[in-house]
Amino acid sequence: MKTVRPFRIDAETLSAFLPSRSIRGWQGLLLLGIFLASLAAAQAQGVAAPQTPSAIATLIEWMPFILKGFVLNLVMSFLAMGIATVLGIALGMLQLSHSRLLRAPAWIITHLFRNSPWLVILFVVMLLVPFEVELPGGRNLILSDWIKATIAFSLPVMANVSEIVRGAIVSIPRGQWESAESLAFTRGQTLRWIILPQCVKRAIPPWMNWYALLAMATPMASILGVREAVGNAQAAMEAAGARPELLVPFYLFLLLLFFAYIYPISIWTRAIERKYAVET
């Protein structure tokens, strides 16, 4: 009887369908070329009106203001990812709890925020969370718009980190749980000393992917008036007269700015994923 071999694609065959490293390396140069070409086009449009500063001069003048807003994007992404990581780890472990009273709410919260649009969550948090919270002792805590936006961004990422943690724990072979139980380890000790250390390598690549997505999502806060990079760029264009020739260079500069920050993270993520790949 003829045996049927499972269909497999080896690394050599798969590499034929993927872009080479040299091609991927040209992506940044291509984006930079488009940016420079847009500046040249905007400069040509501004020649007819010599009394006004050119698009290039205007962009250079307002560049520190835009970069200041980009720092706020980074701060929001760092804080949101920190909150999401702490809450997501706890939520992911609760999903595997033996108690249904803990497992069911964790499952509901995870899938509620995981399957909800980020923009809707942002609007809900911005509109429902008060601007000022009274603390015990008569003190008031001011929650500015960027803080509320950070909380909103952390919620969907928290849900996805929860799934990352749950999936990493489930992927550990059952035999390791049984071996730890035979050595008189409690469930908590098994998680802490045996299971979770092995989950770190499995969870790092998807965790970094979600950070990159979070960093790219932070400009949505400009819709509700947060003065990050996009909000500052819009304010700069309005202050410069809202000339049409400013749109392309300003927004392409924002594109190049986020690309220069996020693209190295994606390269690093792929390298870590190859390094920590789990052989089955």
Side-chain angles (χ1 to χ4, degrees):
M1 183 177 179
K2 186 178 179 180
T3 59
V4 180
R5 299 179 61 186
F7 177 74
R8 294 181 179 178
I9 300 179
D10 55 14
E12 183 178 356
T13 305
L14 183 61
S15 63
F17 297 93
L18 297 177
S20 63
R21 291 175 180 263
S22 60
I23 294 178
R24 291 199 300 265
W26 282 99
Q27 293 175 353
L29 295 177
L30 178 62
L31 185 59
L32 179 61
I34 295 174
F35 174 66
L36 295 177
S38 70
L39 289 183
Q43 178 71 14
Q45 293 178 3
V47 171
Q51 69 276 9
T52 59
S54 64
I56 298 177
T58 305
L59 177 60
I60 294 175
E61 179 184 358
W62 289 99
M63 199 172 289
F65 183 61
I66 298 175
L67 292 175
K68 182 180 178 181
F70 183 68
V71 172
L72 182 57
N73 286 97
L74 299 184
V75 171
M76 286 194 297
S77 67
F78 293 153
L79 293 178
M81 198 66 199
I83 297 172
T85 301
V86 174
L87 297 180
I89 291 174
L91 204 59
M93 296 177 66
L94 287 177
Q95 285 196 81
L96 299 174
S97 174
H98 289 320
S99 173
R100 188 169 184 178
L101 293 177
L102 297 176
R103 187 173 64 251
W107 185 90
I108 293 173
I109 293 173
T110 297
H111 288 274
L112 173 64
F113 289 111
R114 189 168 181 247
N115 298 288
S116 299
W118 289 32
L119 189 58
V120 174
I121 297 175
L122 179 63
F123 271 101
V124 169
V125 173
M126 295 290 282
L127 296 177
L128 293 184
V129 175
F131 176 75
E132 187 175 355
V133 178
E134 185 176 353
L135 299 177
R139 296 183 179 181
N140 294 328
L141 176 63
I142 304 298
L143 297 177
S144 59
D145 289 341
W146 74 268
I147 294 178
K148 292 194 287 186
T150 300
I151 297 173
F153 288 132
S154 68
L155 295 178
V157 181
M158 171 199 69
N160 285 279
V161 171
S162 172
E163 280 296 288
I164 292 173
V165 173
R166 186 197 62 81
I169 294 176
V170 171
S171 67
I172 302 299
R174 182 64 188 175
Q176 299 201 25
W177 289 91
E178 296 173 353
S179 299
E181 185 178 357
S182 66
L183 295 174
F185 279 83
T186 64
R187 180 176 175 83
Q189 290 173 335
T190 304
L191 273 173
R192 180 178 179 183
W193 301 111
I194 299 175
I195 303 301
L196 290 181
Q198 298 180 69
C199 295
V200 172
K201 293 181 179 181
R202 300 168 187 248
I204 284 179
W207 181 88
M208 293 179 63
N209 277 328
W210 277 107
Y211 172 73
L213 291 173
L214 172 61
M216 288 188 292
T218 53
M220 287 194 295
S222 63
I223 299 175
L224 298 176
V226 178
R227 287 302 181 90
E228 39 72 65
V230 176
N232 281 3
Q234 293 172 343
M237 286 186 286
E238 293 177 1
R243 290 176 287 155
E245 63 268 17
L246 298 178
L247 292 174
V248 175
F250 269 73
Y251 281 110
L252 272 180
F253 174 70
L254 290 171
L255 179 64
L256 184 63
L257 192 62
F258 280 92
F259 178 84
Y261 177 69
I262 294 173
Y263 186 65
I265 297 177
S266 65
I267 296 177
W268 189 19
T269 301
R270 288 197 296 267
I272 293 178
E273 189 173 5
R274 289 192 298 267
K275 181 179 179 181
Y276 294 152
V278 179
E279 297 183 0
T280 57

